[in-house]
Amino acid sequence: MNPVVIALCVGMLTVAALLALLRVAKGPTMLDRVIALDVIVAIVVIGLCVEAAANRHATTLPVIVVLALVGFVGSVSVARYASKESAAERGRR
Amino acid sequence: MDWTTIGTVVGSAALLLGCLLTLVAAIGLLRLSDVLARMHTTAKPQVLGVVLSLVAVGIALQRTTDIATLVAIAAFQLLTVPVAAHMVGRAAYRTGQVDASVLDHDDLAEKLAEEERSAG
């Protein structure tokens, strides 16, 4: 794989990760942060893919599987928690 | 052009496109106004960007067991990302974080009001 391609990919992923981190920091709501963290997980997965394609090895493939799984479970559970919290708040109002 | 060169070119293009989609998603995440708009801009590159980079890995590795794993990851991603986006969107609607003034037509509100009428 051409080193220029790898450098371009790493650069774009770095900028994307920084922008997503900015959204995590700014919020304003929990769901915004969940979406941004999902994007960060996707960026890490793509970064591992870039590394695996550049060095032609398959050692990181299990890590990619686990990351895809954990990201899904995390965002779904936070979404459930957010809706439950709001129902309790609605009951109090 | 032999097959190795074609593979390298296609793999590089797929990697670059996947990274570009992720960058676009991050820019949209920062610039758009509301949870639903942000969710829409991030869910699609999460699928296509990851699938494109998996294609690039498959072209680079070219072994049957690795490609089977990659296909499994892609299928899992295709199944779970829309479900997660749907759950987050549902939570956003139920907790009142959707700005009703930007919606063209709110079908769910009508449906919920109808159900409330029939229940009460």
Side-chain angles (χ1 to χ4, degrees):
Chain A
M1 204 67 71
N2 193 334
V4 178
V5 173
I6 302 300
L8 269 175
C9 286
V10 171
M12 283 193 277
L13 288 178
T14 311
V15 175
L18 286 175
L19 293 177
L21 265 183
L22 209 60
R23 176 51 74 194
V24 173
K26 273 167 68 175
T29 66
M30 191 168 28
L31 293 171
D32 288 309
R33 295 198 172 92
V34 171
I35 296 168
L37 285 171
D38 256 4
V39 173
I40 289 178
V41 171
I43 290 170
V44 172
V45 167
I46 295 176
L48 286 171
C49 287
V50 170
E51 198 265 339
N55 298 331
R56 289 177 192 280
H57 65 71
T59 42
T60 48
L61 289 191
V63 183
I64 294 173
V65 177
V66 170
L67 268 180
L69 216 128
V70 168
F72 170 65
V73 171
S75 60
V76 166
S77 52
V78 173
R80 290 300 297 171
Y81 168 65
S83 53
K84 268 181 189 158
E85 179 194 54
S86 95
E89 277 172 2
R90 265 203 298 273
R92 244 182 280 135
R93 240 184 281 146
Chain B
M1 284 262 271
D2 55 353
W3 283 109
T4 325
T5 327
I6 293 170
T8 313
V9 169
V10 172
S12 307
L15 265 190
L16 281 173
L17 211 62
C19 294
L20 191 69
L21 270 171
T22 319
L23 183 61
V24 170
I27 293 171
L29 189 64
L30 207 61
R31 285 190 54 87
L32 292 178
S33 59
D34 149 67
V35 179
L36 289 187
R38 285 176 195 146
M39 191 186 73
H40 129 88
T41 191
T42 57
K44 285 154 200 170
Q46 251 180 312
V47 175
L48 187 60
V50 169
V51 168
L52 277 174
S53 52
L54 291 175
V55 166
V57 176
I59 290 171
L61 294 179
Q62 289 182 348
R63 268 176 44 204
T64 322
T65 47
D66 295 339
I67 289 172
T69 315
L70 293 171
V71 169
I73 298 170
F76 188 72
Q77 197 79 4
L78 281 170
L79 280 175
T80 56
V81 167
V83 173
H86 173 85
M87 295 288 289
V88 172
R90 185 177 180 280
Y93 191 90
R94 303 268 159 152
T95 52
Q97 289 167 25
V98 176
D99 184 8
S101 65
V102 297
L103 295 179
D104 219 25
H105 189 76
D106 194 347
D107 283 323
L108 186 54
E110 285 172 14
K111 188 87 182 161
L112 288 176
E114 204 174 286
E115 270 172 23
E116 209 151 283
R117 265 203 306 278
S118 64

